[in-house]
Amino acid sequence: MKNSEPENIGAHSRRTFFKSLGTVAATAATSQVRTIGAELEKINSEKIIGPGPVPVTLTVNGEKLKLMIEPRVTLLDALRNYSSLTGAKEGCDRATCGACTVLLGDTPIYSCQKLAIEAQGIEITTVEGLAKDKRLSKVQLAFIEKDALQCGYCTPGFVMSVTALLKKNFHPTADDVKHACAGNLCRCGCHPHILQAALKAAGVEHAAKTEVITYA
Amino acid sequence: MPSWPAETKYISQSTPRVDGEAKVTGRARYSSDIQAEGWLYGMILRAKWPSAKISSVNLDKALAVPGIKAAVVVRDGAFTIRYYGEEIAAVAGTSKQACLDALRVIEVTADVHHEFVVNESEARKENSPRVWENSPNAPTNPHVRENGKVDDAFAECAAVIEGFYSTAVQIHHPMETMGNTVSWTDDGLKAWSSTQGISSVRDGFAGALKLDHSKVRVITDYMGGGFGAKFGAGAEGVLAAKLSQAAKAPVRLMLTRFDQALAVGNRPSSFQKIKLGAKADGTLLAFDAENYGTAGIGAGGDGGGGGGGADIPMPYLYKVANTRVKQSAVAVNAGASRAFRAPGNPPASYGMESALDDLAVKMGMDPVELRLKNDPNPIRQREYKLGAEKFGWQAKYKKPGSSAGVVKTGVGCAAGAWPAGGASRNTQGEAQINPDGSIEFRLGVQDIGTGTRTVIAVVAAEILQLKPAQITVRVGDTNFPPGPGSGGSTTCPSISPTVFDICNKALEQLQTQSGIADARGENWFTACKKLGVNPLVVHGQWQQGLSADHACGVQFAEVEVDTETGFVSVKKIMGVHDCGLIVNQLTLESQINGGIIMGMGYALYEERVMDDLSGVVLNPNFETYKLPGIGDVPEIEIVLINMPERGVIGIGEPATVPTAAAIANAVANAIGVRVFSLPITPAKVLAALGKAPPATA
């Protein structure tokens, strides 16, 4: 497949889907068989891509990334292992930890669950793309100020989830932040500081309830 | 004797971590991000059976997969598999996809045994299948420790309680799995490791591959958490090295999340049968306990971190005149344990603090009063009083189960300590001071997320009267002067005095060479300029008198329990902690939050679930092994007791110790009955309330 226009990408995923349904479809109700049969005929007439490497063009942080990869390569795998963009992390490769979160358009997604070929034609933003002219974003600054990280491995994912939230909600509540970060895991236990940082990035100061007492 | 400055500008204040920017921009290169020239992807094939004899492994088809450059078997000849997930072979190729294809076509000839055991109580039985052919699963003579006359003492007690308290196997699950990029050539071996101990990994590679220590270099710029599991080179490291040698290319072999759940460590379970008695005034008089737990096929796998066994300290923090403790580790067909954040302490705290609360209830005594009566430690005495006042204990503590309505509230408290800790006295480091005034510290330690770089920068800035941002810190390289592994809460008390020493030696030499009487602060650049062309390199080491050990802590928990669903919601945790001289408050807060949240997972969610019939781990990934999420985390209030006169003490372990016990006690206080095992799941709550049948073991 040479063309990387979005409609072909859609056709590709439909084709794969219906092909997998093929045997089931044969025994299904007749009306469904007719519909599915027509679809199958249409998509089987398209050129099959893979299983070998195919050219894929991704738009990441405003730049074109041209790769030769197998269609089964995920967006996360493409970023981390076929380019030097290792900011998105692999924690589970299974849509359970959120360390791989990137923005597809303005939507936060698990990049481990998106095939790279399906991500063509849409602007992808990774954590490396947030700072503009070396100036950190508000979210990044707030994460540093509030110490919303320890080992830092989950941090890119949380930063992207919070960034996505603030793109559509300028005045989030604590519950909004918790909802936005519900798909991100942190094992060091930075959650209280992450909450403070997200609110701080939205302009709400929310101090830690820590008291220091000198022993006498 | 050296001493910390009385007035400080950075120490005990809050400095944002110096590597924060690298971490929030993705610039920080973790071990799993390393892309060495010509690197290959590596993956491991693991056993699908809990017990088997492997007679042969044929790699031919794997080697024929396009892109595959090397494949190795874990060892030559026939070998035995003792748990689901044990390593069999590994492959390296140009892509992850090639590796996945290759793993599928490796031919393993195995005699699969149908006799195995994964359940602790089954494994203890005499007729149980044996995990190790030549020894019983549980020792025939468990360790017994006895002081006083226990049986006589119980007869004198005014109140006695008995309970069978148990805790589940907990998995470390750092967000970055274990693994390395290894390049092994004739010149030596270089490994970028996700580790807590660059030196122990170096020694591990050298030992396993028969190399001189000088031929092995380990680098850890950034790593994604360890919690006690990441001290050795590991089977995965050795396999990566062999693949690298065979393929003549660097191999990056990071474990999958499944691998992580099966084979690289855990906290052993505990089954604590406790009998505890006190005099009428609450003084503990007699303690009798029998504990067993499993460390899987064995304890302390892949050492360097030590510990990790199934024995726990009993009766934990309390001195009971008449004490009998009987303990045994039970082998089962499951992955070996490793040291896990305060090994032995969280289960010990859960068992003993639960028993104390049950005793308090039986005696009609306030749980805090019972602890003040019996806790021998003056710092915790102070912490209990302070915490109880700030938490509003007196107003909040009610008779168990007495709150109205379907959703019941309760409070609980518990104590913890980390009696180990202290410093590694061999810690060394160096600083290079350049004529332009820039300064670089080099220490052979690693930052596991606790803020090691920041601690070094803060201490150096304080002593040299510079700003933390002016200090360049390099860690995570075995070519630097040696430091401790990041375990046992020893890093901060090891490196802070070392940096103190380097700074003072640097000032001394700089002042001599420059002729400037005080080279600190505003004179720094003038003094450095007088060095001429050659930088000054100063070596320093750990000094006595600037650090200590034995941090304490008490925690208070407030929970809501829905008695219709059994769901426990933690509303608030207050942690009252001491760690001597506070070095950096901001990162300290983060560590305490983290300890509390990990303890909350231990209390409510985390458990490795084994299937007795198939011997497999049923929850080897995050959709089934539940970690606390941001929505579960309660309000956390931290009270820090600053004791500069004690010097620096680590906080990583003590912060996680009392949380589970405090939550368990709060749940018992809310519903009026005890849930005797962790994690406290809704099913167990409903069973304790008599609303659902108990789970079958």
Side-chain angles (χ1 to χ4, degrees):
Chain A
M1 196 180 82
K2 295 275 189 272
N3 197 331
S4 64
E5 291 304 303
E7 49 267 44
N8 280 1
I9 308 307
H12 165 77
S13 54
R14 269 207 314 281
R15 183 188 65 78
T16 320
F17 176 65
F18 282 112
K19 255 197 121 170
S20 70
L21 278 183
T23 49
V24 182
T27 57
T30 44
S31 64
Q32 276 180 328
V33 169
R34 266 197 294 277
T35 322
I36 293 170
E39 279 284 344
L40 270 175
E41 198 173 317
K42 184 180 154 208
I43 56 199
N44 278 337
S45 66
E46 292 165 7
K47 195 176 170 225
I48 291 171
I49 55 165
V54 295
V56 168
T57 303
L58 301 172
T59 313
V60 188
N61 304 328
E63 288 181 19
K64 296 273 186 233
L65 185 61
K66 294 186 182 216
L67 305 170
M68 275 298 289
I69 50 177
E70 292 180 26
R72 60 176 163 164
V73 172
T74 63
L75 175 56
L76 177 65
D77 197 5
L79 293 170
R80 288 182 56 75
N81 299 330
Y82 295 87
S83 88
S84 58
L85 293 164
T86 56
K89 303 297 184 216
E90 180 176 320
C92 67
D93 206 21
R94 199 174 166 81
T96 60
C97 80
C100 66
T101 305
V102 301
L103 302 189
L104 198 62
D106 283 343
T107 308
I109 62 152
Y110 289 137
S111 62
C112 72
Q113 296 302 302
K114 190 91 183 165
L115 294 176
I117 51 167
E118 294 177 312
Q120 296 180 101
I122 314 171
E123 176 64 37
I124 297 158
T125 310
T126 70
V127 74
E128 289 98 333
L130 294 181
K132 301 289 178 213
D133 303 324
K134 293 193 175 174
R135 287 178 53 192
L136 302 191
S137 74
K138 277 185 185 174
V139 176
Q140 289 172 313
L141 288 169
F143 266 63
I144 297 172
E145 186 191 324
K146 296 294 179 184
D147 203 41
L149 58 141
Q150 289 180 61
C151 81
Y153 199 78
C154 71
T155 308
F158 273 99
V159 166
M160 297 317 287
S161 292
V162 173
T163 300
L165 169 70
L166 296 183
K167 276 176 185 275
K168 61 178 187 199
N169 183 348
F170 300 132
H171 305 288
T173 63
D175 280 345
D176 293 336
V177 174
K178 289 179 183 181
H179 184 76
C181 295
N184 295 81
L185 291 177
C186 166
R187 187 49 156 168
C188 297
C190 303
H191 314 80
H193 284 178
I194 291 168
L195 181 60
Q196 286 170 25
L199 294 173
K200 165 86 190 185
V204 184
E205 192 60 50
H206 185 91
K209 285 194 176 176
T210 298
E211 195 176 345
V212 182
I213 291 163
T214 300
Y215 191 86
Chain B
M1 192 76 94
S3 66
W4 292 106
E7 297 290 319
T8 60
K9 194 169 177 189
Y10 297 109
I11 288 177
S12 301
Q13 308 299 314
S14 282
T15 297
R17 60 183 73 218
V18 295
D19 45 7
E21 183 171 330
K23 289 183 178 181
V24 300
T25 54
R27 212 176 65 228
R29 293 276 165 171
Y30 290 73
S31 306
S32 55
D33 298 336
I34 299 301
Q35 298 176 329
E37 181 71 31
W39 71 282
L40 300 172
Y41 203 97
M43 288 187 93
I44 295 177
L45 178 73
R46 292 178 183 277
K48 296 292 177 204
W49 324 282
S51 181
K53 187 90 173 177
I54 309 273
S55 50
S56 73
V57 180
N58 186 341
L59 302 170
D60 294 349
K61 286 183 182 166
L63 285 164
V65 169
I68 291 298
K69 304 293 182 192
V72 294
V73 182
V74 74
R75 57 183 74 87
D76 297 330
F79 57 98
T80 304
I81 292 295
R82 293 182 211 281
Y83 66 93
Y84 172 77
E86 197 167 349
E87 301 83 6
I88 293 177
V91 298
T94 51
S95 72
K96 178 181 183 177
Q97 289 69 36
C99 291
L100 286 167
D101 291 346
L103 292 184
R104 266 183 228 117
V105 295
I106 293 176
E107 292 171 336
V108 180
T109 310
D111 177 15
V112 179
H113 303 158
H114 298 291
E115 291 227 313
F116 56 85
V117 61
V118 295
N119 176 293
E120 295 91 336
S121 61
E122 287 299 317
R124 296 176 83 213
K125 293 179 182 164
E126 217 168 303
N127 59 354
S128 165
R130 283 187 169 186
V131 175
W132 297 92
E133 299 74 19
N134 300 323
S135 61
N137 296 331
T140 40
N141 298 313
H143 327 142
V144 182
R145 183 168 49 79
E146 186 161 1
N147 301 312
K149 295 185 173 170
V150 177
D151 298 324
D152 296 349
F154 273 116
E156 291 170 31
C157 288
V160 176
I161 61 102
E162 286 186 75
F164 187 44
Y165 308 90
S166 67
T167 62
V169 171
Q170 184 185 24
I171 310 281
H172 300 76
H173 277 316
M175 290 310 300
E176 181 184 45
T177 57
M178 272 166 226
N180 310 265
T181 294
V182 182
S183 173
W184 188 9
T185 65
D186 292 342
D187 295 335
L189 184 145
K190 189 172 175 186
W192 291 265
S193 302
S194 183
T195 182
Q196 302 172 243
I198 50 172
S199 302
S200 46
V201 170
R202 188 235 358 245
D203 298 355
F205 275 120
L209 304 169
K210 311 259 183 297
L211 291 167
D212 290 348
H213 285 189
S214 60
K215 291 286 183 196
V216 182
R217 182 177 175 197
V218 176
I219 295 173
T220 304
D221 275 340
Y222 291 92
M223 59 83 73
F227 311 110
K230 288 183 179 170
F231 283 105
E236 65 279 3
V238 174
L239 285 169
K242 289 179 176 171
L243 288 168
S244 170
Q245 189 187 41
K248 296 186 171 34
V251 172
R252 186 215 285 170
L253 197 164
M254 298 301 296
L255 298 192
T256 67
R257 184 55 58 186
F258 288 98
D259 297 343
Q260 186 75 35
L262 303 177
V264 285
N266 52 68
R267 189 191 294 287
S269 56
S270 75
F271 293 82
Q272 312 172 39
K273 196 175 168 200
I274 294 177
K275 187 177 176 187
L276 178 67
K279 291 198 262 189
D281 68 351
T283 307
L284 298 178
L285 194 61
F287 178 81
D288 189 8
E290 185 177 353
N291 173 50
Y292 64 89
T294 188
I297 59 162
D302 199 51
D311 280 10
I312 62 174
M314 299 174 100
Y316 201 41
L317 306 170
Y318 304 92
K319 296 256 184 297
V320 187
N322 304 285
T323 293
R324 181 166 53 222
V325 176
K326 198 170 167 184
Q327 301 211 57
S328 57
V330 185
V332 299
N333 292 99
S337 71
R338 288 185 187 175
F340 192 160
R341 205 171 190 172
N345 283 244
S349 170
Y350 166 71
M352 187 61 190
E353 297 284 346
S354 296
L356 270 180
D357 258 41
D358 291 349
L359 185 66
V361 170
K362 185 158 188 182
M363 299 183 77
M365 230 178 140
D366 182 302
V368 173
E369 284 304 316
L370 184 61
R371 287 169 173 82
L372 289 174
K373 186 88 195 166
N374 289 289
D375 193 323
N377 184 290
I379 299 172
R380 276 195 304 274
Q381 288 275 338
R382 169 82 191 268
E383 289 173 341
Y384 267 123
K385 288 174 193 159
L386 197 65
E389 186 195 316
K390 293 191 177 294
F391 184 75
W393 176 265
Q394 283 216 314
K396 285 179 178 169
Y397 182 76
K398 305 244 165 54
K399 193 170 164 293
S402 65
S403 75
V406 169
V407 178
K408 296 190 174 292
T409 58
V411 292
C413 64
W418 183 237
S424 167
R425 290 157 178 253
N426 312 323
T427 309
Q428 298 170 50
E430 65 187 15
Q432 176 167 327
I433 297 144
N434 299 308
D436 67 353
S438 60
I439 176 166
E440 177 179 280
F441 282 79
R442 297 187 282 252
L443 283 87
V445 289
Q446 50 290 308
D447 192 337
I448 61 169
T450 53
T452 300
R453 285 185 180 87
T454 310
V455 162
I456 293 169
V458 160
V459 172
E462 186 71 56
I463 308 298
L464 301 175
Q465 293 183 8
L466 299 172
K467 291 182 180 139
Q470 289 174 277
I471 313 292
T472 298
V473 182
R474 293 183 66 199
V475 296
D477 189 333
T478 48
N479 280 359
F480 297 158
S486 295
S489 301
T490 58
T491 310
C492 197
S494 299
I495 61 174
S496 302
T498 305
V499 173
F500 177 99
D501 185 53
I502 299 167
C503 290
N504 282 314
K505 290 203 169 114
L507 285 173
E508 213 172 287
Q509 286 197 36
L510 191 57
Q511 282 155 191
T512 309
Q513 286 194 33
S514 67
I516 291 172
D518 183 352
R520 296 177 298 174
E522 56 186 15
N523 294 336
W524 176 259
F525 288 95
T526 318
C528 291
K529 212 171 181 180
K530 289 188 185 284
L531 288 171
V533 287
N534 285 330
L536 174 65
V537 177
V538 190
H539 199 92
Q541 59 191 34
W542 181 84
Q543 298 292 316
Q544 182 93 37
L546 297 166
S547 62
D549 55 21
H550 210 125
C552 297
V554 304
Q555 291 179 7
F556 296 83
E558 189 175 343
V559 302
E560 282 180 3
V561 185
D562 186 325
T563 54
E564 282 183 353
T565 64
F567 187 79
V568 176
S569 170
V570 182
K571 307 314 285 183
K572 179 174 180 170
I573 302 273
M574 175 182 276
V576 188
H577 287 274
D578 61 276
C579 54
L581 171 70
I582 295 169
V583 178
N584 190 35
Q585 188 187 323
L586 185 61
T587 47
L588 168 60
E589 255 173 36
S590 287
Q591 274 203 80
I592 295 180
N593 283 338
I596 287 171
I597 292 164
M598 188 174 265
M600 185 182 154
Y602 191 51
L604 300 178
Y605 311 126
E606 295 184 45
E607 174 178 22
R608 182 188 69 188
V609 182
M610 304 289 301
D611 180 38
D612 291 355
L613 294 178
S614 65
V616 311
V617 177
L618 291 173
N619 57 344
N621 216 309
F622 290 138
E623 73 274 23
T624 42
Y625 186 99
K626 306 306 279 185
L627 299 183
I630 195 167
D632 304 314
V633 172
E635 177 194 350
I636 296 175
E637 202 173 325
I638 300 170
V639 181
L640 298 168
I641 316 275
N642 193 23
M643 292 187 278
E645 69 285 358
R646 295 191 74 198
V648 178
I649 309 177
I651 192 67
E653 337 249 345
T656 202
V657 175
T659 314
I663 291 173
N665 284 340
V667 171
N669 180 245
I671 62 176
V673 285
R674 176 153 302 273
V675 175
F676 281 96
S677 82
L678 299 185
I680 302 171
T681 59
K684 289 181 192 170
V685 170
L686 292 178
L689 288 167
K691 292 182 175 183
T696 49

